[in-house]
Amino acid sequence: MDSIHILEKLIAFPTVSRDSNLALIGYVADLLDAHGVPCQIIHSEDGHKANLFATIGPADASGIMLSGHTDVVPIDGQNWTLPPFEMTKRDGKLYGRGAADMKGFVACALSACLKASRMTLRTPLHLALSYDEEIGCIGVRSLIDMLQAAPQRPLLCIVGEPTSMQVATGHKGKLAARAICRGREGHSALAPLALNAIHLGCDFVSALRQEQDRLARDGARDGDYDIPYTTIHVGKMNAGVALNIVPNLCQLDFEIRNVAADNPDQILDGLRAAAAHIAAAASTIAPAAAIDIDITNTYPGLDTPANSQAVAFVKSLTGANDTIKVAFGTEGGLFSRDLGTPTIVCGPGSMAQGHRPDEFVSVEQMRRCDDMLDNLLRRLAGHRLQTA
Ligand SMILES: [Zn+2]
């Protein structure tokens, strides 16, 4: 079945991360089953979502894994001129939520699996589909647990996030955290007798910005990124009830996106120390003053050596001469860290279209991805690969 036809089916499942993806997983499982390919379905704890893993070819050998997430970001508040959950084909472009990020790749990978089911492979092809990637690479972790317990690990993983079919070897890691700043409420007319939690929060934001300045000036650098150093950013601040009440609570959501040479836990330790210092200074006014920091999500960066065999292998599939690193995070860092599987990010479409209204992938990009996977199938049929 042609990848574009499959993409049309996939876009029609509104798999926004907050909703179930089971209808899509059921469609994929039925499609594979009709071609004689069994699959494992790993449900989330509440049973509303699932990962899917399938192998085509010999069961006793390590293979090449194609990885994609099935969830998409919401369309809320976006000005779509085309139906988001119905594929529109126009001027060589295929529109719909997830076309670029990343149902286009999932469709190509499925099409390749169906072709593989009619071939005799000497090295297996694996398909790994996840849920809840868009909210912090959550779902794939149970799939990785399953693969960790399996007798063999994949030789290579291709994560098909949109890179315009360029071969990407890395992305930054991410640590997301919430700072909960506690002061003491009071009448605003007597503000100096209370402790304003927003003021505490602002002092902590200053500490975050000082740390950002230090990292930009003295931190590790990786010139392959547009922003070559580790970044710190506050994305949300919640506080206050009314102007005449000194607020007693201020919550800040912030993140650290680190280059490979920086350790986000160490950076966070420094920020915790700064928070403790700010709270201690305020405790003379209100003994209950505190800034507590909770980690809300983390995933590791990806840093596959550009001169590795895995990179050379994928370059030979696409015909690329060079490699890039991408700004956005992927599940690749987890595959690399937790399975030791060399991982590359390479997929159709561009993240310039991801997460936006009228998202699209071009037919040309889909064809280039199909070509890469056809080349892969030829390799898998020809050899029992020991390393990628
Ligand atoms: Zn994605």
Side-chain angles (χ1 to χ4, degrees):
M1 210 157 127
D2 180 76
S3 58
I4 291 174
H5 183 66
I6 297 174
L7 177 59
E8 182 168 21
K9 298 276 188 195
L10 296 180
I11 286 174
F13 295 102
T15 50
V16 175
S17 308
R18 63 178 172 239
D19 300 321
S20 174
N21 73 336
L22 292 182
L24 183 151
I25 291 291
Y27 163 76
V28 173
D30 288 348
L31 188 60
L32 292 171
D33 185 61
H35 288 75
V37 177
C39 62
Q40 287 166 270
I41 293 176
I42 304 142
H43 282 92
S44 60
E45 269 176 34
D46 66 7
H48 293 312
K49 298 173 187 174
N51 299 306
L52 180 147
F53 186 77
T55 296
I56 300 109
D60 61 342
S62 296
I64 308 284
M65 181 161 74
L66 305 179
S67 151
H69 61 83
T70 60
D71 59 322
V72 295
V73 294
I75 55 160
D76 307 46
Q78 295 191 343
N79 189 18
W80 282 72
T81 65
L82 296 165
F85 297 112
E86 192 181 304
M87 190 175 86
T88 303
K89 190 172 178 181
R90 185 182 291 176
D91 301 330
K93 292 174 182 164
L94 307 162
Y95 293 87
R97 171 54 89 220
D101 184 15
M102 60 177 291
K103 289 179 172 176
F105 177 80
V106 173
C108 294
L110 265 167
S111 174
C113 288
L114 303 186
K115 286 179 200 165
S117 73
R118 295 188 293 271
M119 300 166 67
T120 303
L121 301 186
R122 298 176 70 187
T123 301
L125 178 69
H126 307 293
L127 176 69
L129 302 183
S130 69
Y131 64 90
D132 281 358
E133 188 273 347
E134 294 287 4
I135 53 174
C137 302
I138 306 289
V140 74
R141 296 174 201 238
S142 61
L143 192 150
I144 288 173
D145 289 345
M146 190 269 291
L147 292 174
Q148 276 181 329
Q152 57 259 325
R153 305 276 168 89
L155 291 172
L156 168 74
C157 175
I158 300 175
V159 176
E161 293 277 4
T163 63
S164 303
M165 293 306 296
Q166 292 173 280
V167 177
T169 59
H171 61 74
K172 292 180 184 179
K174 178 174 157 181
L175 184 157
R178 171 166 292 176
I180 302 160
C181 310
R182 297 179 202 281
R184 187 177 63 205
E185 61 275 76
H187 194 297
S188 63
L190 304 171
L193 301 178
L195 179 63
N196 190 321
I198 293 179
H199 295 186
L200 270 185
C202 289
D203 289 349
F204 184 60
V205 172
S206 288
L208 293 175
R209 296 185 65 186
Q210 276 174 29
E211 179 64 359
Q212 173 67 94
D213 290 345
R214 186 191 70 79
L215 290 164
R217 199 178 52 238
D218 304 325
R221 298 191 94 74
D222 183 338
D224 290 337
Y225 290 110
D226 289 342
I227 311 290
Y229 48 83
T230 295
T231 58
I232 297 179
H233 149 89
V234 182
K236 224 172 143 184
M237 187 178 206
N238 271 341
V241 175
L243 181 57
N244 62 358
I245 303 175
V246 177
N248 65 357
L249 185 67
C250 174
Q251 288 189 354
L252 292 169
D253 290 352
F254 68 97
E255 65 175 26
I256 303 167
R257 288 183 183 257
N258 66 290
V259 295
D262 275 337
N263 179 340
D265 294 319
Q266 252 171 31
I267 294 169
L268 189 67
D269 284 347
L271 294 173
R272 283 188 200 280
H277 186 73
I278 293 165
S283 67
T284 53
I285 308 167
I291 302 177
D292 297 319
I293 298 174
D294 295 332
I295 295 175
T296 50
N297 183 251
T298 63
Y299 60 74
L302 176 69
D303 193 29
T304 303
N307 60 2
S308 63
Q309 263 185 297
V311 173
F313 182 82
V314 178
K315 279 162 103 176
S316 76
L317 299 178
T318 66
N321 293 318
D322 48 15
T323 61
I324 60 165
K325 289 183 182 176
V326 288
F328 54 87
T330 80
E331 294 168 340
L334 288 164
F335 287 127
S336 173
R337 184 191 69 183
D338 296 346
L339 294 176
T341 297
T343 299
I344 308 299
V345 184
C346 180
S350 163
M351 206 51 108
Q353 273 81 50
H355 300 206
R356 292 172 55 84
D358 295 341
E359 176 177 351
F360 70 85
V361 64
S362 71
V363 172
E364 178 263 349
Q365 283 285 305
M366 291 291 284
R367 292 301 171 229
R368 281 180 61 186
C369 188
D370 287 334
D371 288 347
M372 169 179 81
L373 297 177
D374 285 346
N375 289 338
L376 174 63
L377 293 182
R378 275 192 282 277
R379 300 285 186 91
L380 299 183
H383 305 279
R384 165 79 60 118
L385 299 170
Q386 300 302 328
T387 58

